[in-house]
Amino acid sequence: MKRLFTFIICILLLLIVKTNTIFAAGFIAPASTQTFGDTTFAHAAANQAQLTGYQTNIKHRLDSLKKDVPLDYNEYVQNYIDIYANNRDEMGQVIGLAKYYFPIYEKVFRAAGIPVEIEYLSVVESKLDPNAVSRVGATGPWQFMSTTARLYGLSMDGYIDERRDPVRASYAAAAYLKDAYEEFGDWLLAIASYNCGKSNVENAIAKAGANDFWSIRQYLPLETRNYVPAYIAVAYLMNYYGKHNIIAQPCSFSRNIDTVLVDRSISLGNISNILNMDYRVLALLNPAYRTQMINGSPANPRRLIIPQCNSKSYSALYDALNSGVISPVLPAHASYVSYAEERPEHRPAYHKVKRGETLSDIADRYGVDVQDLKNWNHLHHKPAVGQKLKLSADKEDASSSSKETRTYITYKVKRGDTLSVIAAKFDGASVEHIKSLNGLKHGQLQPGMTLKISKG
């Protein structure tokens, strides 16, 4: 009996030593039970009396900011407040840029009927950089992938990428978020879907049996679990940066601007010479023009943003735009290098398909239409890795197509539209013709999608 008792004691001692070794090796408590001082944060957030003075102040400030979007306070939000607050210089620059970009967002969001405080999401997405491109190709201040961008009416070709246009991209972001809110009935879920897609949010709701972000958070992709807390943290710091020793930097360009509609081709270089201003400022104000060329026409005028200038400079620009053809000239410091391969005269004859590439990716890169790629290469399915794709029509195809005089109008799909309903709106249109013209296999439509409709 004594030996048995000794044996049991030895086993217990071994278990204690083993347990201490596990925690010493770096295992930590789950995030939901991280402690701040002597209290467990999850319980402290629910019971304001247990929060520290620092935490209580932040919670009160977030409560004061709440409008339509819930701004909950918990350890995940606090973690991102700390992260952003520690990057003071970067946050100071963002606050300066917001003085230009936020009024644009607010005007668009009010018109679209969504909460203006969702403007902070663009900071999480791109730090208010219209030229931002993610590792997976998401582009612009609202970080649209090409497929989603087209569904929500943004144009992309060799000359223009409207994902970079703060105004056009904001309308598209507002449309997406409004659709998501109508589906989920919760702004935080709509914001989460902006990061991971509506289907992932739907799946998380089904698994959790709940429809609020914090209840379904564990079932969302890892990046999205942190995305909403990051948004709340940014909303907080953009309003209370002074409490964290962050100094707002001045905006690096003039916020007083004018808009001019251009109905001919002209380079930003020409415009900078006419206005006698820094070319880089024009490029920053007009980031959507990929080759720094505005390809306007009477049928499709393009928007040009310029800093407000004196009447003499404005008259010179007006005269230039209303005179004869202007030869596109770039100043010496401008460059086409980034997008040289996308201009038709520099486009290679073929592209070799790489792993993970889609037809949309290839079309975006070379400034061509997806349907043209399919036609030129007689594609009826996804191209294989290593396959060589033609990037232009054969000579005989080009000569025959040049004899055809086709004009198109565009139609933006509305909620409830079907192909038959749309076809009935236009003389000579048919379901099959619309499907063929737009490369639609199954006829599935999404609100906001832009369709070509043959005219005449």
Side-chain angles (χ1 to χ4, degrees), residues 254-306:
S254 174
R255 292 183 282 132
N256 299 316
I257 58 171
D258 283 321
T259 302
V260 179
L261 289 179
V262 178
D263 63 359
R264 63 183 65 243
S265 291
I266 184 172
S267 71
L268 295 182
N270 276 117
I271 295 168
S272 70
N273 290 337
I274 293 166
L275 297 176
N276 192 27
M277 65 175 52
D278 190 341
Y279 165 82
R280 290 169 294 183
V281 173
L282 285 177
L284 189 61
L285 292 173
N286 299 275
Y289 297 113
R290 305 175 77 164
T291 61
Q292 290 80 50
M293 174 69 66
I294 302 175
N295 61 325
S297 68
N300 185 26
R302 298 290 193 186
R303 188 174 67 249
L304 167 68
I305 307 298
I306 61 171

Side-chain angles (χ1 to χ4, degrees), residues 37 44 155 319 352 358 418 432:
S155 297
D319 291 341
K352 191 173 182 179
T358 66
T418 64
E432 289 306 315

